[in-house]
Amino acid sequence: MLTLILKENSAPVTLQMDQDVIAIGRSKENNIVLKNIKASRRHARIERIGATYQITDLGSGNGTKVNGKKIDFQALNKGDEIAIGDARLILKAIDDSPDALDAPDEEIKLQDETDDKIDLVDEPTQQWSEAETEVQAPSVEAKPPPKPGAAKPGLKKPLGRPGQK
């Protein structure tokens, strides 16, 4: 979960965001709706990736800054200040408690530590005779060469003027 402080025209507002994807912009469809005219309708997105969060600019006209530096995307840390137009979002806290999808810090152990070998089942081998594996090519008869002066098969006589040879 993220705790953000939104500083816009009015008094600062504390936001508790528990979504894995947080959309920011002027559109009412965003999770964080800004009233700032310098913000795009779909300006930026904060995504949870494991136990960290990353902000991505969505091709906004005026850009997104983190700690005064214009970014395309960047990992976020506690205390970072996100500037979108005249609005400021300060990252007050990152709750990085592990959830069911995160890997635990402890080592995963086998249930029965005495048997750490895996027995492979031998599949029966089938013996093939040489006759069964031999492939016969189809037989092809050779055609005799064409006689000199004979028309080639599939070709018509050339058109010419009548009476000419």
Side-chain angles (χ1 to χ4, degrees):
M1 178 178 351
L2 284 178
T3 303
L4 298 163
I5 298 173
L6 172 61
K7 292 181 180 180
E8 210 168 8
N9 296 333
S10 58
V13 177
T14 301
L15 306 169
Q16 299 286 333
M17 309 301 291
D18 61 355
Q19 298 93 339
D20 287 340
V21 178
I22 302 164
I24 307 168
R26 282 192 345 244
S27 172
K28 293 179 182 179
E29 297 171 355
N30 291 303
N31 302 97
I32 299 175
V33 179
L34 302 176
K35 297 173 186 154
N36 190 326
I37 194 68
K38 292 181 183 177
S40 298
R41 283 174 276 176
R42 291 177 12 98
H43 195 99
R45 175 179 61 229
I46 297 175
E47 293 177 274
R48 180 175 184 206
I49 302 171
T52 64
Y53 287 87
Q54 174 180 302
I55 186 164
T56 304
D57 183 81
L58 299 176
S60 64
N62 292 317
T64 302
K65 292 181 180 179
V66 175
N67 300 326
K69 193 174 183 181
K70 192 171 183 179
I71 56 99
D72 290 325
F73 61 91
Q74 181 172 324
L76 293 173
N77 298 305
K78 181 180 174 183
D80 283 348
E81 180 182 273
I82 301 165
I84 297 177
D86 294 328
R88 300 290 179 265
L89 286 162
I90 298 166
L91 186 54
K92 185 176 179 182
I94 298 176
D95 180 14
D96 55 355
S97 62
D99 63 13
L101 296 177
D102 292 335
D105 290 337
E106 61 197 44
E107 186 178 323
I108 298 174
K109 297 182 180 182
L110 297 173
Q111 287 180 352
D112 184 6
E113 293 184 16
T114 60
D115 186 17
D116 59 352
K117 295 181 182 176
I118 299 174
D119 293 330
L120 298 176
V121 177
D122 291 333
E123 295 197 18
T125 56
Q126 185 171 358
Q127 297 296 324
W128 298 92
S129 68
E130 198 171 306
E132 291 174 318
T133 58
E134 191 173 305
V135 178
Q136 296 291 326
S139 60
V140 178
E141 289 183 27
K143 294 183 181 180
K147 295 179 184 175
K152 293 184 180 180
L155 298 178
K156 296 181 180 180
K157 288 185 178 181
L159 296 176
R161 294 188 185 160
Q164 280 188 339
K165 289 190 179 183

